Amino acid sequence: KNLLLFAHAGVLTTLFNLAGHDINFSFMIVGPTNCRKTSLVTAVARVFDRNRLKADAEFATATSAGVEQTLGRYRDATVIIDDYKAGANLTQQREMNRKLDEVIRFYGDRVEKKRMLAFTPKSEKMFFPIGGNCVITGEFAPEAIESSMTRIFLTEVNKDDVNNEKLRVFQEERWIVPTHFYNFICWVTKRFDICVRYIAERYPCYRDEKRYIVGRFSDMYATFMVTADLLSMYARELGFWNEEEQRAFSNTVQGGLEIELEVME
């Protein structure tokens, strides 16, 4: 649920910004090789370019400039960066950690790298502003960059955690995810001002409701809960859920978030 909610938060990036509460963290999913984490992320969180369910960039092969360019690829959508893993040697591991730290801070601080481009032809095409959110996959949590870990919502998967039958449906019926998001975005667009106002009003309430030692974790909680509220309002209004189902969804999301954030803390 949290991965799906984070993808919904991605398409609401502009609304969160206008409400004064930027999405200031990334989502990282870690697990052993062949646990289907990349397949899960690309099938559920990838809205565009679904003809090929692949990540937008890979840590092992992408340069820092290439990763930076990827960050500005989508506005109001989720960028997927794949395969943070152990380097073959200490030098490679430091490079992997440096790139990961840079990505995490881009999204955690919502500040893009600035360059002197005044005398560069087509300089506007060399600036890549961040306009969405980011999901990162990896084999393990990056212990070497603890200062950045407060900017990550970290979740772990094992080989038996992914429902392969359901995953196969999203992989084969690739129209499901973009169709849903199209309908959700249309619903939000018609209620744009209402949704911005709802985020502005409810976000501080949720943030105050759950105070963690790491303040950014309260922001994570508020982001997920507000997104869950808007998604359940959409589902209820369109007749997908009744009031009881809407309430059950919110309770499930809340309970799951509390457990995961307590573990992270």
Side-chain angles (χ1 to χ4, degrees):
K1 285 186 176 67
N2 293 333
L3 175 61
L4 187 62
L5 284 175
F6 193 70
H8 282 80
V11 303
L12 298 172
T13 301
T14 296
L15 281 77
F16 274 96
N17 175 263
L18 292 174
H21 302 292
D22 279 325
I23 302 171
N24 62 357
F25 63 97
S26 298
F27 191 108
M28 188 170 190
I29 181 169
V30 299
T33 302
N34 297 324
C35 70
R36 309 302 304 278
K37 57 184 178 294
T38 301
S39 298
L40 176 66
V41 167
T42 54
V44 173
R46 189 169 184 81
V47 178
F48 303 113
D49 298 329
R50 289 181 62 83
N51 58 318
R52 295 188 306 161
L53 290 178
K54 292 187 176 182
D56 297 297
E58 293 186 4
F59 273 105
T61 58
T63 63
S64 294
V67 170
E68 184 185 350
Q69 182 175 3
T70 299
L71 302 187
R73 187 173 184 184
Y74 307 124
R75 184 172 180 82
D76 293 309
T78 299
V79 168
I80 299 171
I81 301 182
D82 189 36
D83 206 22
Y84 170 81
K85 58 185 179 182
N89 52 52
L90 185 59
T91 300
Q92 287 186 8
Q93 188 62 57
R94 286 173 177 167
E95 175 63 13
M96 293 281 279
N97 288 346
R98 187 191 63 77
K99 285 193 289 186
L100 180 62
D101 183 66
E102 195 169 65
V103 170
I104 292 170
R105 289 181 179 277
F106 277 153
Y107 283 97
D109 302 329
R110 308 300 294 190
V111 176
E112 306 87 3
K113 185 182 293 183
K114 300 292 192 298
R115 291 189 172 92
M116 178 57 190
L117 301 171
F119 304 104
T120 304
K122 299 182 179 179
S123 61
E124 74 281 355
K125 294 185 178 181
M126 297 183 66
F127 177 64
F128 310 107
I130 293 172
N133 61 9
C134 181
V135 171
I136 303 163
T137 73
E139 294 183 355
F140 58 92
E143 297 178 0
I145 49 174
E146 289 186 22
S147 61
S148 295
M149 292 307 293
T150 59
R151 296 171 170 84
I152 292 178
F153 182 90
L154 182 68
T155 189
E156 297 184 28
V157 295
N158 295 308
K159 292 185 177 180
D160 297 328
D161 289 340
V162 177
N163 187 318
N164 289 316
E165 185 176 344
K166 290 184 178 180
L167 175 60
R168 192 177 302 112
V169 172
F170 287 99
Q171 290 176 320
E172 295 177 353
E173 306 295 335
R174 301 188 180 187
W175 56 270
I176 294 176
V177 167
T179 300
H180 161 71
F181 276 105
Y182 173 81
N183 289 330
F184 177 68
I185 291 169
C186 286
W187 181 85
V188 170
T189 301
K190 293 178 181 178
R191 299 156 184 78
F192 191 90
D193 292 338
I194 295 173
C195 290
V196 171
R197 188 162 58 250
Y198 185 87
I199 295 172
E201 293 174 354
R202 290 299 299 160
Y203 188 103
C205 297
Y206 280 126
R207 185 175 55 198
D208 293 340
E209 179 180 299
K210 289 293 177 182
R211 285 293 184 180
Y212 294 90
I213 297 173
V214 179
R216 200 178 293 260
F217 289 178
S218 297
D219 292 335
M220 294 178 187
Y221 177 82
T223 299
F224 280 114
M225 288 304 300
V226 168
T227 302
D229 285 351
L230 293 176
L231 178 58
S232 62
M233 288 161 58
Y234 156 81
R236 174 77 187 282
E237 194 168 312
L238 270 66
F240 300 137
W241 291 342
N242 57 34
E243 183 178 355
E244 183 178 346
E245 290 169 323
Q246 182 182 11
R247 185 166 53 250
F249 174 75
S250 295
N251 291 338
T252 300
V253 169
Q254 183 177 27
L257 282 174
E258 290 175 353
I259 292 173
E260 292 215 41
L261 287 170
E262 286 173 6
V263 170
M264 286 168 54
E265 194 168 45

